[in-house]
């Protein structure tokens, strides 16, 4: 995490001194997040104080579901403002939360009600805050997507978000205002709950991202022409040593202990393979879904995805590299990831330090990588949810039209544009989609080209989507409001395979897993291939589904699902219009006009 420049001088001393602190103090620095909450489950991590276990179906129930008044309320205040920081040693004017990058970690317990007041103290930008992966059960107005669920929060205004943490695990929150999170408007989030494996200590969140030295708006404009801009650096936990500047993130541990680490890919463009020399990971959770744990040396993390891992410090005490490498050019490019696996030009790193005696060693690790990995940006395939759920296969009859097929295509001239079927999404910040629901005027919403609305009227019904990639670039597809079921995806090596089209043939159907498919909120659509997902309409709302590559959603790669409109209209939707007047008034006064719709650059 970084602090504003003017503070660096005074804090630098404190940070250096940290390595010389006695062991007990170092341990305390980690913060014991799990124990800090309402349930101490350190004796058995699979339990949650009589209010659920790791085997609880989190979609169906959560602590205090039937006694909402008994749920604890946790209030957080955060402020978005300009700050000049130097995450990799090079100064950049950034837009950050509470003066730090990444912003403060929001920590709550499973079943808590979260109240988060977001103040916009930026001079020239609106904002809206999205709580990535939080299903927002019955609270679509709190999803934080300007143009869909709210008007942007104008400068000097505050918006309150309120929702229940019905899931547990690791996530992040970020601005959904254009590509703004690429300039720093993000933070991480931990919802404490049970875990699939035992561990002694929670090291907390460990976000990995690409980083650009130019303002993200300029990079976004560059991305409209030719290939995506190359990341100029990468950051692990908000910091990196590159070209002799900046500093590696250090993670301090003691020998012979089991730790939990929460890996999050907060990139705008880059997907990464992640590993820790000498210490294989046991993966326990993917996004908000606990899985049958498995061991791996390297894990692929697409944008927006999270993996919770545990590892044991059973190696010779010393310093070890964390490595993040971009597996192929199709997962983006970065000046800090150019070489062969584990080579010295793969420089997106951090340091694991064993406490030896009472100190840690200041020298850089000399450790070597844990084996090799397959050079693809395909998702992990060994994932199986701990709570298995069957998807009714007879519900899926592929009709190859707009009710179950999404063709993803690209037009490069005169500027890059991405289409789902024939539409590229472009929403209106001043009239969010939900406003049309309030006005009982959804017909108009649907008629406006670019809204890309897909209506899902049937309650508690499985809707199936075949997402067909008509190009070679993989896309991390993220759905709001739900964890989707991943029924299948092509296993391609991206460049070598010819395009694989899902036709619904008996052969294709055999490739789908209806028995116990993985559930999560981000899945990679393979290049030249397909991804078949399903979700259950158990949550009325207006839910965005989009590619999490910031350029791609800006250039059109998204749709909106209008789920169970008639029931939605019975919800209290007044917050949809909360900032609209203030936003309009401010917008008329600013010379910084919107370069895109929040989701899409105007072509
Ligand atoms: C990441 O950085 C923050 C702020 O410096 C620190 O509190 C946290 O412990 C770090 N995370 C890990 C996993 O080391
Ligand atoms: C953010 O900063 C404000 C003002 O300094 C402080 O009151 C608040 O607690 C901080 N929020 C978090 C989540 O740390
Ligand atoms: C955000 O503010 C920056 C200056 O800080 C400006 O260049 C940009 O145009 C603004 N963007 C939007 C979308 O308001
Ligand atoms: C959402 O509201 C409906 C109708 O009041 C209720 O039946 C359902 O249990 C609620 N779901 C959640 C997740 O709170
Ligand atoms: C860790 O455990 C191993 C095996 O039990 C033991 O040989 C070693 O001395 C321990 N290391 C430390 C630093 O306690
Ligand atoms: C983040 O996701 C992008 C796109 O899916 C991927 O190319 C990159 O390798 C991921 N980064 C990490 C650190 O996992
Ligand atoms: C990590 O430790 C090294 C010395 O061992 C130090 O130079 C560096 O500043 C530390 N990194 C951070 C982000 O504090
Ligand atoms: C998707 O593309 C295929 C092949 O071009 C076409 O047959 C199909 O109708 C398209 N689907 C939709 C929903 O437009
Ligand atoms: C995907 O293909 C790779 C390379 O051919 C292979 O090693 C891997 O086992 C395949 N995965 C699945 C799930 O079929
Ligand atoms: Cu994309």
């Amino acid at each position: 995490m970084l602090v504003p420049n003017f503070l660096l001088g005074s804090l630098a001393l404190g940070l250096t001194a940290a390595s010389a602190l006695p062991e007990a103090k170092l341990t305390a620095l980690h913060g014991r997040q799990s124990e800090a909450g309402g349930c101490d489950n350190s004796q058995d991590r699979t339990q949650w104080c009589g209010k659920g276990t790791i085997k609880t179906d989190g979609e169906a129930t959560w602590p205090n579901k039937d006694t909402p008044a008994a749920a604890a309320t946790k209030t957080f205040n955060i402020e978005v403002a300009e700050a000049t920081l130097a995450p990799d040693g090079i100064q950049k004017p950034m837009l950050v939360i509470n003066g730090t990058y990444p912003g403060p970690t929001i920590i709550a317990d499973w079943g808590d009600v979260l109240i988060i007041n977001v103040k916009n103290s930026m001079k020239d930008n609106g904002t809206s805050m999205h709580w990535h992966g939080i299903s927002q059960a019955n609270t679509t107005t709190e999803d934080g997507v300007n143009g869909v669920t709210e008007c942007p929060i104008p400068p000097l205004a505050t918006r309150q978000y309120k929702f229940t943490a019905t899931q547990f695990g690791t996530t992040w929150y970020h601005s959904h205002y254009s590509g703004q999170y690429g300039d720093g408007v993000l933070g991480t989030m931990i919802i404490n709950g049970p875990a699939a494996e035992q561990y002694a200590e929670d090291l907390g969140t460990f976000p990995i991202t690409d980083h650009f030295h130019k303002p993200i708006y300029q990079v976004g404009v560059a991305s409209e022409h030719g290939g995506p801009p190359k990341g100029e650096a990468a950051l692990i936990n908000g910091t990196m040593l590159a070209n002799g500047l900046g500093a590696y993130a250090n993670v301090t541990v003691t020998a012979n202990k089991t730790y939990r680490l929460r890996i999050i890919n907060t990139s705008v463009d880059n997907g990464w393979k992640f590993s820790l020399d000498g210490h294989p990971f046991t993966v326990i959770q993917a996004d908000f879904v606990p899985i049958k744990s498995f061991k791996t040396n390297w894990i692929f993390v697409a944008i927006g995805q999270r993996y919770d891992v545990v590892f044991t410090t059973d190696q010779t005490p010393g310093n070890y590299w964390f490595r993040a490498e971009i597996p192929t050019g199709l997962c983006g490019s970065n000046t800090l990831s150019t070489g062969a696996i584990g080579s010295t030009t793969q420089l997106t790193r951090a340091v694991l330090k064993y406490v030896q005696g009472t100190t840690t060693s200041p020298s850089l690790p000399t450790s070597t990588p844990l084996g090799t990995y397959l050079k693809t940006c395909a998702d992990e395939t060994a994932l199986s949810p701990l709570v298995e759920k069957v998807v009714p296969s007879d519900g899926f009859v592929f009709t190859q039209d707009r009710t179950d097929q999404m063709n993803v295509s690209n037009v490069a001239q005169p500027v890059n544009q991405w289409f789902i079927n024939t539409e590229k999404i472009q929403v209106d910040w001043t009239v969010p989609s939900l406003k049309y629901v309030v006005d009982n005027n959804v017909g108009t919403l649907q008629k406006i080209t670019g809204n890309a609305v897909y209506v899902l009227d049937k309650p508690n019904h499985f809707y199936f989507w075949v997402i067909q990639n008509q190009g070679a670039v993989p896309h991390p597809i993220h759905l709001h409001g739900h964890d989707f079921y991943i029924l299948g995806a092509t296993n391609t090596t991206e460049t070598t395979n010819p395009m694989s089209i899902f036709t619904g043939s008996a052969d294709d159907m055999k490739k789908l897993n209806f028995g116990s498919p993985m559930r999560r909120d981000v899945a990679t659509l393979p290049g030249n291939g397909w991804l078949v997902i399903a979700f259950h309409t158990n949550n009325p709302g207006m839910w965005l589904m989009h590619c999490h590559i910031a350029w791609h959603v800006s250039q059109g790669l998204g749709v909106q699902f209008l789920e169970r409109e008639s029931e939605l209209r019975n919800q209290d939707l007044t917050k949809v219009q909360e900032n609209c007047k203030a936003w309009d008034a401010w917008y008329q006064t600013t010379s910084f006009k919107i370069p895109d719709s929040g989701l899409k650059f105007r072509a």
Side-chain angles (χ1 to χ4, degrees), residues 400-402 405 407 421 470:
Q400 278 181 274
D401 58 22
R402 210 172 171 278
Q405 187 174 35
N407 290 325
N421 295 331
Q470 300 184 331

Side-chain angles (χ1 to χ4, degrees), residues 327-472:
T328 92
L330 289 169
C331 315
S333 56
N334 196 292
T335 52
L336 294 188
S337 184
T338 51
I341 293 163
S343 84
T344 48
T345 52
Q346 298 276 18
L347 294 174
T348 302
R349 297 200 184 165
V351 183
L352 180 83
K353 295 187 171 190
Y354 280 63
V355 173
Q356 301 173 72
T358 57
T359 59
T360 55
S361 158
S363 35
L364 290 179
T366 53
S367 58
T368 52
L370 266 183
T372 181
Y373 55 78
L374 201 63
K375 289 211 132 207
T376 71
C377 35
D379 270 344
E380 298 297 327
T381 50
L383 307 181
S384 180
L386 210 53
V387 178
E388 296 191 353
K389 293 197 203 181
V390 175
V391 174
S393 61
D394 56 359
F396 181 38
V397 181
F398 189 38
T399 52
Q400 278 181 274
D401 58 22
R402 210 172 171 278
T403 65
D404 56 16
Q405 187 174 35
M406 293 190 181
N407 290 325
V408 174
S409 63
N410 171 248
V411 168
Q413 296 299 332
V415 291
N416 271 320
Q417 297 161 77
W418 291 92
F419 293 83
I420 291 186
N421 295 331
T422 53
E423 271 175 296
K424 46 187 173 140
I425 199 167
Q426 178 161 26
V427 297
D428 183 348
W429 278 354
T430 61
V431 192
S433 307
L434 270 181
K435 174 76 165 62
Y436 292 87
V437 175
V438 174
D439 295 345
N440 198 2
N441 192 17
V442 164
T444 304
L445 175 75
Q446 286 179 272
K447 274 190 212 110
I448 301 171
T449 315
N451 276 333
V453 177
Y454 290 72
V455 172
L456 314 175
D457 273 338
K458 290 184 206 153
N460 298 315
H461 178 80
F462 276 99
Y463 283 87
F464 296 83
W465 299 98
V466 174
I467 308 177
Q468 177 69 51
N469 200 337
Q470 300 184 331

Side-chain angles (χ1 to χ4, degrees), residues 418 473-477 547-549 552-553 557:
W418 291 92
V473 181
H475 301 279
I477 302 291
C547 171
H548 222 299
I549 294 177
H552 294 177
V553 63
L557 216 171

Side-chain angles (χ1 to χ4, degrees), residues 190-225:
I190 294 173
I191 308 294
N192 290 311
E197 297 283 339
Q198 306 301 330
Y199 56 88
E201 199 172 317
D202 189 348
L203 291 165
T205 54
F206 214 43
I208 307 164
T209 184
D210 43 16
H211 181 65
F212 296 84
H213 294 132
K214 288 203 196 85
I216 207 69
Y217 295 107
Q218 288 175 33
V219 187
V221 170
S223 77
E224 296 195 332
H225 304 279

Side-chain angles (χ1 to χ4, degrees), residues 39-116:
C39 172
D40 178 352
N41 67 345
S42 50
Q43 292 312 305
D44 181 359
R45 298 286 181 189
T46 65
Q47 302 301 305
W48 195 246
C49 299
K51 292 183 171 175
T53 77
I54 192 65
K55 290 281 183 71
T56 302
D57 175 3
E59 254 185 322
T61 190
W62 52 88
N64 295 315
K65 183 192 178 197
D66 301 321
T67 49
T73 297
K74 306 261 166 77
T75 303
F76 304 86
N77 299 306
I78 56 176
E79 183 177 7
V80 190
E82 291 92 359
T84 297
L85 304 180
D88 60 348
I90 296 175
Q91 291 205 3
K92 174 183 176 179
M94 296 179 74
L95 304 172
V96 297
I97 300 172
N98 269 24
T100 65
Y101 179 79
T105 301
I106 289 181
I107 303 172
D109 289 332
W110 189 23
D112 283 354
V113 174
L114 279 76
I115 293 182
I116 308 172

